[in-house]
Amino acid sequence: MMRSKSVLKLLSILLGVALLSSCAKPSKLYVADKNDGVFFATPSGWYHISQLALGHLESTSSAVGAAERAASVLWQEAVTPKATYTATDVLSLKTPDQPIVYGRVRSLLPDEVNSISYNSLRDLILPVTSWANGTIKSPLFDISNDEEYIQKGGRGVHTVFQFTGSDGSSQTVNQTSVLSNDHTTIYVLIIRCSTSCYNKQKVALEKIATSFTVRGK
Amino acid sequence: MSDTQPQVAEQGRPRDTDRKTRVHLSTFDRFKFIIFFAAIFMVLVWADMSNNPILSFSDAFKENLNSRWWLLALAAIEIIRQLHFLAAEIVAPYHGAWLKYFSTVDRNLHRLSDWNRYRLSRVIKGFLFICLIAVALGAYYKQTPVTALFLAPKALWSAMPMLAQLAFAVFFILIQFFAMFWFLSKGGIDTYFPDDIRTRFSDVWGQDHVLNRIRENLLFLESPEEIEKHGGYVPGGILLWGPPGTGKTLMAESMAGETGKPFVFVDPGAFNNMFFGVGVLKVKSLFRKLRKLSLRYGGVVAFFDEADSLGNRGISTQQGRYSNSDTSCHGGTYLSEGATALIARKRFGSEKFVANTAMSGGGGGMGTLQALLTEMSGLKKPRGFFNRVVRRTLGLRPKLPPKYRILIVLATNMPEALDEALLRPGRIDRMYRVGYPSKAGRVRTYKGYLDKVSHSLSEDEVDKLATITPYATGATIKDTINEALINVIRDGRTTITFADVIKAKQFKELGPAEDVEYIERERHAVAVHEACHGVMAYLMRHHMSIDLATIEKGSDYLGMVASIPPDDQFTRWRTEYEADILVSLASLAGERMFFDGDNSSGVSGDLESATTVASFMEGHWGMGSTISSHASNRRFEVGAPGGAKGKDDGARELRRALADRIEDNLSSLLAKAEMVLRDNKGKVLSLAHALEIHKTISGEDVVAVMEGGKGPLVDGAPYQSPENVALIERYHEAALIAHKGHEKPAVQIPTFG
């Protein structure tokens, strides 16, 4: 009888565990492109921005070569804690008051394959190198970190810089660009936010940056 | 005692139906599914972690808890089930309530008929299967299951080219097998149409009694209504059995020629199959052909030559019907069927059939015989796709098949090797023994073959020829005449004489002589040896007449006296066997008498045959001093009658051991032989003289020497004169001295006339 009771207890506990554990939530939001071997994680509770919208916006852009680049995108995904952000907020340089995390994988165009360098990796969204050299006059600009970033799937640079945009507000960009070992693909993670917002959430945002893992195809 | 027994029963494990609670599950059974689900869950967690390098275990675990909810649900169901079991194990009323519930459900379910329940379960299973497929397809297409179910045929259509390719590959492989089996199942069967065969019954000689019977069968094949309107049926099978060369095949051929129906000849080896099942296919295709032919021509004859190649399944056939065994000259027909079968089984089971069974596997084995049996008796079931399927689907009754008139003829010289089931009435209705042709038949056969060549034989000579060749068959007669013709042509002549036929017959029976010359004293010894046989045969053996006597050395004899029965005789008597033994023993008696007690090893064969016959007389044929059959004694291991040594009374004396009795019989016959030869010493030496001079003489020459008449080769008159006999005896004396001294005889062999 004792044995039956202990079995009963055990079964009840198991049932309780099974029912309760279904309410548990993961501590992070994991973003991954398993085909291309790219991973990063943001705090849980953040929102995804529609991939479709991102793709559509880029392909309809009137900028030179934008359509071509859009065609070579293998994967892109944006995550933000603010539910109202859209693709336009992600792909413009307007200073956001909440962080925007944007990951992207793109195969290189033929002429890019020959000319790609760490500098061109730094210059992916803004002419950081020229600003730093002073060849182009920059609005209030400062690089707070610049280091080589080596991963299993490739190597590149991790750069953190602040600049003041045309609207006069300061924005911090935490950018990691990795070139695949076979020089055909680049993997990019961009975290940006207004400088005050960035400084406030620095630890969390840098944690996102360090979670960026490129395993390659 | 009576009190303890129920207690013992109570202590035993109670029946399931007697229990108030459920039987306890073992711990493993209780947790096995939960452990299984947990293991699957951990595997899934591990798979996720290995897919995402930044994923922590706790997050992977939590993520899986969310995404694999169905696994948790299953686990929860399992846990609830186990709780239910546990309750049923502990709480009797709970268990009772459930039992009651299930029995109600069961009762309700069983209101449906078994067939309906079966169909219902089939529908439910089918539905569940489709649901499962739909869910799996839904997961694959990332659509709702119902949509996915409609998407699947589209995918199937787009996969058609590949499927067609696959189908072609399968077809390509299968066609090779089909083609191989098709080719293998052909052959071994020849069909002759009425005009192809010229042989008629009049070409079969000496088997009139069998022919008359076969005619009856053919009559029914041609006008079956005659018997069928009276409620009978047409006999469908004939077995012809008998020694080789007696005309079984010829008979079948003439049957085909006579009927005007197609004749299907099945080769003995037709059913030898290299692959399992080819024999069966062959049987089926054979019968399909037979049915077709019988419909088209109103009947067909199928002939299986050497039917023993069909084999058997290891049981001997009943011997009663055609027992021709040497021991029972009147057959076993007066016995009850059971007794006959017992005797046959015992005899063949113990001796012959071990070998036969082993053979049957290779021949028609591997299902062929069974297929043949089925086909032979299964001619009345509805056939054809339309008849069986379409008519039945439309609710019509299948048409009965037409009456196929198929006459099956089996021929064999080993009927005991056939399967018992093959010979049952309905398959084989009639069995005819095709034995050695009668004398009239032999005469007819000789005439038949002689008519084809140029010859000078008179009626009497042909008659005599038939008399002296009692076991001649159509085949041997044809061969003898042909041999005579070859000799005639070699001699540059064209006409066959009686002497040519006799010479051919001797050549066929004895083989070619070896053309060795004996030295004189040995020639004389061989001649005396054979003369003893000859004189004894002439004087004592009246049931046989001498065919020829020779001292020409053959391959396995030095000389011989061959005898033949003058009449067709079917019983043998004790006096005849005694005469046979006397003739055999004459050589030993004679050699001892003429050579001063010496004798050669040449008598070994004679003694062997004498002993064999004497043994059979004593032990088998009831011609000795006891009655019981040694054959049965040996089979049942009861021992032969033979008393212990010692006490000497009359009855005991008669019951000595078998070997003693045989020896005694032989000794008394040897003494009798000596007496006969001593009384006919002159005759023996005269015959020996004739043999020495002529080497080979015919039976008539022997008679001429004995009686002083004139034979074809020897004139017997000189042997009647005492002077001549005295000359011969003197020559014998000289030969005897030469024999003793191993030298040349001093006296030349005398010649007369």
Side-chain angles (χ1 to χ4, degrees):
Chain A
M1 211 41 141
M2 280 306 290
R3 206 164 149 258
S4 296
K5 270 189 179 164
S6 62
V7 168
L8 184 66
K9 223 183 266 173
L10 187 60
L11 283 172
S12 312
I13 290 167
L14 277 174
L15 186 63
V17 166
L19 293 174
L20 284 175
S21 60
S22 57
C23 311
K25 283 263 182 292
S27 60
K28 287 174 184 164
L29 174 68
Y30 290 92
V31 183
D33 170 24
K34 285 175 185 165
N35 287 335
D36 297 304
V38 194
F39 307 87
F40 64 89
T42 67
S44 66
W46 287 27
Y47 301 98
H48 288 278
I49 287 166
S50 159
Q51 288 183 38
L52 215 65
L54 286 171
H56 181 72
L57 188 67
E58 193 177 7
S59 60
T60 52
S61 163
S62 57
V64 180
E68 204 182 358
R69 269 202 307 278
S72 64
V73 170
L74 300 172
W75 170 81
Q76 56 185 347
E77 186 136 10
V79 188
T80 165
K82 194 171 174 179
T84 52
Y85 278 158
T86 62
T88 323
D89 296 309
V90 176
L91 293 179
S92 71
L93 282 173
K94 213 169 78 184
T95 309
D97 56 356
Q98 287 290 317
I100 291 175
V101 180
Y102 176 57
R104 167 173 167 121
V105 179
R106 181 168 76 82
S107 56
L108 291 174
L109 303 170
D111 55 332
E112 285 177 323
V113 173
N114 293 321
S115 61
I116 196 105
S117 67
Y118 274 5
N119 278 346
S120 48
L121 286 176
R122 286 186 186 99
D123 295 346
L124 270 180
I125 52 168
L126 288 163
V128 177
T129 329
S130 307
W131 282 347
N133 294 343
T135 40
I136 297 178
K137 191 176 171 287
S138 66
L140 290 163
F141 169 75
D142 180 39
I143 294 180
S144 57
N145 190 11
D146 186 69
E147 59 191 3
E148 194 177 22
Y149 195 78
I150 300 172
Q151 286 280 297
K152 192 182 164 198
R155 52 178 61 211
V157 282
H158 174 225
T159 314
V160 184
F161 60 91
Q162 294 86 34
F163 75 98
T164 308
S166 51
D167 55 354
S169 58
S170 171
Q171 185 178 157
T172 301
V173 177
N174 185 334
Q175 169 189 310
T176 313
S177 321
V178 174
L179 176 67
S180 70
N181 286 328
D182 60 359
H183 286 225
T184 59
T185 317
I186 52 170
Y187 306 87
V188 187
L189 180 76
I190 296 163
I191 305 164
R192 61 193 184 86
C193 194
S194 67
T195 304
S196 61
C197 142
Y198 189 89
N199 290 338
K200 219 188 284 172
Q201 301 185 33
K202 196 173 179 184
V203 177
L205 294 181
E206 280 181 350
K207 216 172 179 182
I208 297 174
T210 48
S211 79
F212 184 59
T213 305
V214 178
R215 215 191 231 183
K217 284 175 196 171
Chain B
M1 277 306 273
S2 60
D3 286 337
T4 54
Q5 269 191 334
Q7 277 178 2
V8 170
E10 275 169 24
Q11 280 167 7
R13 206 170 70 87
R15 291 170 215 277
D16 272 2
T17 45
D18 295 341
R19 288 183 70 106
K20 294 273 179 282
T21 56
R22 202 172 189 286
V23 182
H24 281 256
L25 273 181
S26 72
T27 314
F28 175 74
D29 281 341
R30 224 187 277 289
F31 289 105
K32 65 183 177 189
F33 282 109
I34 298 172
I35 293 169
F36 176 67
F37 291 139
I40 291 185
F41 186 80
M42 293 319 285
V43 166
L44 291 170
V45 168
W46 169 75
D48 274 3
M49 284 178 73
S50 70
N51 270 337
N52 190 338
I54 59 170
L55 191 61
S56 68
F57 172 75
S58 66
D59 280 353
F61 192 85
K62 284 173 195 163
E63 256 187 15
N64 268 296
L65 284 179
N66 288 324
S67 59
R68 322 281 188 198
W69 57 268
W70 50 271
L71 198 60
L72 289 179
L74 284 177
I77 291 170
E78 171 62 13
I79 290 168
I80 290 167
R81 193 173 75 108
Q82 290 302 337
L83 285 172
H84 160 73
F85 282 172
L86 200 63
E89 282 167 25
I90 299 166
V91 190
Y94 180 77
H95 183 57
W98 277 106
L99 277 187
K100 220 172 190 176
Y101 169 72
F102 278 125
S103 67
T104 316
V105 169
D106 248 21
R107 223 178 11 253
N108 287 336
L109 271 180
H110 278 83
R111 279 199 198 130
L112 288 169
S113 76
D114 284 348
W115 171 232
N116 281 338
R117 267 187 312 120
Y118 168 71
R119 287 196 295 185
L120 199 65
S121 81
R122 211 167 48 173
V123 167
I124 292 170
K125 277 177 206 158
F127 181 72
L128 284 178
F129 180 72
I130 290 172
C131 287
L132 202 68
I133 294 274
V135 169
L137 285 172
Y140 179 75
Y141 286 119
K142 299 195 170 45
Q143 297 278 344
T144 63
V146 179
T147 322
L149 210 55
F150 288 97
L151 284 174
K154 217 172 85 180
L156 194 70
W157 180 250
S158 62
M160 265 324 248
M162 199 189 70
L163 285 180
Q165 231 171 7
L166 262 175
F168 177 76
V170 171
F171 175 77
F172 189 74
I173 294 163
L174 284 183
I175 192 77
Q176 297 178 46
F177 281 95
F178 283 134
M180 195 166 71
F181 274 93
W182 190 82
F183 280 117
L184 283 173
S185 66
K186 297 287 144 190
I189 293 160
D190 300 316
T191 309
Y192 298 97
F193 290 97
D195 294 337
D196 296 349
I197 296 172
R198 289 162 181 275
T199 318
R200 294 291 181 270
F201 281 148
S202 54
D203 297 317
V204 183
W205 304 315
Q207 304 287 4
D208 293 343
H209 59 294
V210 183
L211 281 183
N212 286 337
R213 292 291 173 164
I214 288 177
R215 248 185 219 118
E216 264 172 41
N217 278 63
L218 290 188
L219 213 65
F220 286 133
L221 186 66
E222 270 162 19
S223 51
E225 298 79 19
E226 207 168 309
I227 185 162
E228 276 166 3
K229 75 180 173 196
H230 296 297
Y233 71 96
V234 180
I238 303 178
L239 171 71
L240 303 175
W241 66 278
T246 44
K248 296 181 289 294
T249 310
L250 186 72
M251 221 174 267
E253 216 177 277
S254 68
M255 221 183 284
E258 205 78 28
T259 51
K261 308 281 183 213
F263 184 78
V264 176
F265 185 92
V266 183
D267 274 356
F271 299 127
N272 281 343
N273 35 188
M274 184 158 86
F275 296 109
F276 192 90
V278 170
V280 179
L281 282 179
K282 278 194 168 184
V283 170
K284 283 190 179 297
S285 84
L286 166 68
F287 273 84
R288 205 173 300 135
K289 186 174 194 168
L290 289 179
R291 281 192 293 272
K292 200 175 83 185
L293 287 172
S294 91
L295 284 187
R296 179 153 175 211
Y297 292 95
V300 62
V301 180
F303 178 65
F304 292 75
D305 208 0
E306 311 297 346
D308 43 88
S309 70
L310 297 171
N312 63 61
R313 292 169 296 175
I315 314 167
S316 76
T317 45
Q318 290 195 10
Q319 292 290 298
R321 279 164 185 256
Y322 42 73
S323 175
N324 71 332
S325 62
D326 45 4
T327 47
S328 56
C329 57
H330 293 295
T333 43
Y334 59 88
L335 292 172
S336 71
E337 245 180 62
T340 319
L342 188 70
I343 291 166
R345 285 265 160 76
K346 275 281 176 195
R347 181 183 302 145
F348 288 92
S350 58
E351 290 161 20
K352 278 187 195 168
F353 260 80
V354 180
N356 265 334
T357 322
M359 279 192 314
S360 63
M366 308 212 281
T368 310
L369 179 64
Q370 283 84 340
L372 187 67
L373 295 177
T374 318
E375 288 288 352
M376 280 173 81
S377 56
L379 298 175
K380 280 134 206 132
K381 64 182 180 193
R383 287 175 187 285
F385 174 78
F386 185 84
N387 203 357
R388 282 186 299 123
V389 181
V390 180
R391 278 181 74 97
R392 195 161 280 166
T393 313
L394 295 175
L396 297 169
R397 264 178 48 202
K399 265 190 307 194
L400 277 180
K403 286 195 169 103
Y404 301 109
R405 320 272 181 214
I406 300 175
L407 178 63
I408 288 175
V409 184
L410 306 183
T412 180
N413 54 353
M414 298 192 340
E416 68 276 4
L418 291 175
D419 196 276
E420 198 166 3
L422 190 62
L423 303 181
R424 75 148 169 81
R427 293 198 178 108
I428 294 296
D429 301 289
R430 293 179 161 201
M431 295 180 216
Y432 302 129
R433 179 174 193 271
V434 184
Y436 292 108
S438 60
K439 188 181 163 192
R442 295 199 295 276
V443 171
R444 176 75 191 81
T445 314
Y446 271 115
K447 279 188 183 157
Y449 285 115
L450 282 170
D451 284 348
K452 293 182 181 175
V453 296
S454 156
H455 71 96
S456 63
L457 273 77
S458 65
E459 289 275 326
D460 282 350
E461 279 171 331
V462 172
D463 194 78
K464 198 162 149 194
L465 211 52
T467 309
I468 62 172
T469 50
Y471 293 112
T473 62
T476 58
I477 290 173
K478 190 177 175 183
D479 183 45
T480 307
I481 300 294
N482 198 49
E483 189 65 40
L485 186 66
I486 288 170
N487 282 332
V488 163
I489 290 167
R490 204 183 287 151
D491 287 354
R493 292 177 287 135
T494 50
T495 305
I496 295 175
T497 63
F498 183 62
D500 291 322
V501 181
I502 294 295
K503 204 172 152 195
K505 171 182 164 295
Q506 285 174 4
F507 179 77
K508 281 287 157 194
E509 281 170 6
L510 305 180
E514 285 195 351
D515 278 348
V516 288
E517 277 292 323
Y518 293 114
I519 53 171
E520 274 185 343
R521 62 171 190 277
E522 196 177 20
R523 182 188 69 201
H524 179 69
V526 173
V528 169
H529 177 114
E530 300 305 336
C532 290
H533 283 310
V535 169
M536 189 64 78
Y538 171 79
L539 292 173
M540 306 303 290
R541 188 154 69 173
H542 303 299
H543 64 283
M544 304 268 268
S545 52
I546 297 170
D547 182 27
L548 86 155
T550 180
I551 58 163
E552 278 179 288
K553 188 180 177 319
S555 53
D556 54 354
Y557 57 90
L558 295 174
M560 69 154 58
V561 175
S563 298
I564 46 155
D567 317 297
D568 288 346
Q569 188 185 332
F570 304 102
T571 50
R572 298 290 307 270
W573 297 81
R574 180 180 150 179
T575 47
E576 293 173 5
Y577 283 124
E578 279 178 355
D580 286 343
I581 295 175
L582 280 175
V583 172
S584 295
L585 291 179
S587 56
L588 177 65
E591 282 188 10
R592 283 183 180 171
M593 191 172 85
F594 287 104
F595 293 94
D596 283 353
D598 201 1
N599 78 273
S600 70
S601 65
V603 300
S604 63
D606 300 327
L607 293 185
E608 194 181 326
S609 47
T611 310
T612 306
V613 175
S615 303
F616 271 108
M617 286 172 68
E618 196 67 43
H620 287 242
W621 296 329
M623 297 173 181
S625 49
T626 54
I627 302 156
S628 53
S629 167
H630 183 61
S632 307
N633 288 346
R634 201 179 50 188
R635 200 157 59 234
F636 300 115
E637 296 173 5
V638 295
K645 293 202 171 71
K647 209 177 160 193
D648 190 19
D649 58 43
R652 182 60 58 87
E653 180 60 24
L654 282 174
R655 294 187 171 206
R656 280 158 306 140
L658 182 64
D660 293 336
R661 283 180 276 136
I662 294 167
E663 181 63 28
D664 286 356
N665 194 15
L666 287 175
S667 301
S668 64
L669 287 170
L670 182 67
K672 189 176 175 188
E674 270 172 20
M675 205 174 68
V676 173
L677 289 178
R678 191 166 294 122
D679 294 346
N680 295 280
K681 208 171 170 180
K683 296 281 185 208
V684 173
L685 289 177
S686 301
L687 188 57
H689 178 264
L691 278 169
E692 276 191 83
I693 298 291
H694 298 286
K695 305 281 189 292
T696 299
I697 59 176
S698 71
E700 286 153 318
D701 294 319
V702 174
V703 174
V705 172
M706 300 302 286
E707 294 175 358
K710 197 165 168 58
L713 199 61
V714 183
D715 182 8
Y719 297 109
Q720 298 295 316
S721 120
E723 295 82 40
N724 285 345
V725 175
L727 276 176
I728 292 168
E729 278 182 4
R730 191 151 7 108
Y731 168 66
H732 169 65
E733 296 298 330
L736 180 61
I737 291 162
H739 169 75
K740 283 177 178 163
H742 278 246
E743 55 199 25
K744 223 171 138 65
V747 180
Q748 282 287 314
I749 186 164
T751 48
F752 313 115

